[in-house]
Amino acid sequence: DTGVSQNPRHKITKRGQNVTFRCDPISEHNRLYWYRQTLGQGPEFLTYFQNEAQLEKSRLLSDRFSAERPKGSFSTLEIQRTEQGDSAMYLCASSLVSGKLFFGSGTQLSVL
Amino acid sequence: DAKTTQPPSMDCAEGRAANLPCNHSTISGNEYVYWYRQIHSQGPQYIIHGLKNNETNEMASLIITEDRKSSTLILPHATLRDTAVYYCIVREGPDRVGGTYKYIFGTGTRLKVLA
């Protein structure tokens, strides 16, 4: 399967713990996006990478959130000191320069 | 905020055409209309997009009105597997050098295909 891959699919953590998610985009795609989706809502943009450069961040991305794409390939999204309000589906997408987004299946985070 | 409005839900009989409307009255001249769908527990899946002209692919047809203020996604022969949330999105252009196109999702239309 050469689509966007996200790991883990599910993560349960206790409030205050740190979590990290990984996204492997489609190999030739230089653009990578993170979105967050809560129940009953559409996905909300969090951040965007072009190659290894993080070029845009939403105001939704608090200072507890950090994303990296060290070699312009895979990306990680870390949440420090998780809160119950962080419970959501975290979606990764990739694209070519101005093309359509291809989404992964997401990581479902539950903060207890 | 999303530039689109869609009905929250629709039903369609299996084998019939599903016509999903979308209003985007504030769309700008160079902004594309994109449609995605999301089946439960999966990421959104691209369906089709267009600027001015009607478009058709193996999944669906997209009809855009002449004034571009609304569009309709048509699934010609809906199946049970088409049950999903359908998102109509106006792709907004970069607002600065180095920025990206913005795909701003609304709450979509929940389509239920009935046997």
Side-chain angles (χ1 to χ4, degrees), chain A residues 4 10 42-43 51 61 69 72 77 92:
Chain A
V4 177
H10 304 274
N51 300 312
L61 210 66
R69 194 182 183 197
L77 178 68
C92 175

Side-chain angles (χ1 to χ4, degrees), chain A residues 1 3 13 18 37 41 44 53 55 58 60 68 72 85-87 99 105:
Chain A
D1 183 18
T13 191
N18 299 344
Q37 185 175 26
Q41 302 298 313
E44 297 173 293
L55 295 184
S58 163
L60 293 175
E68 293 183 342
D86 297 331
S87 295
S105 295

Side-chain angles (χ1 to χ4, degrees), chain A residues 9-23:
Chain A
R9 286 297 313 275
H10 304 274
K11 179 71 178 179
I12 299 173
T13 191
K14 292 183 179 178
R15 190 177 52 183
Q17 298 293 304
N18 299 344
V19 294
T20 301
F21 312 138
R22 177 177 169 127
C23 171

Side-chain angles (χ1 to χ4, degrees), chain A residues 33 37 55-56 98-99 101, chain B residues 36 38 91 96 100 102-103:
Chain A
Y33 304 76
Q37 185 175 26
L55 295 184
E56 198 154 341
S98 61
L101 298 185
Chain B
Y36 280 78
Q38 188 172 25
R91 189 188 73 171
R96 58 177 181 81
T100 185
K102 291 181 175 56
Y103 296 78

Side-chain angles (χ1 to χ4, degrees), chain A residues 70-85:
Chain A
K71 295 182 180 178
S73 56
F74 73 92
S75 176
T76 58
L77 178 68
E78 181 183 16
I79 309 174
Q80 296 183 325
R81 306 181 303 281
T82 52
E83 301 173 357
Q84 287 184 324

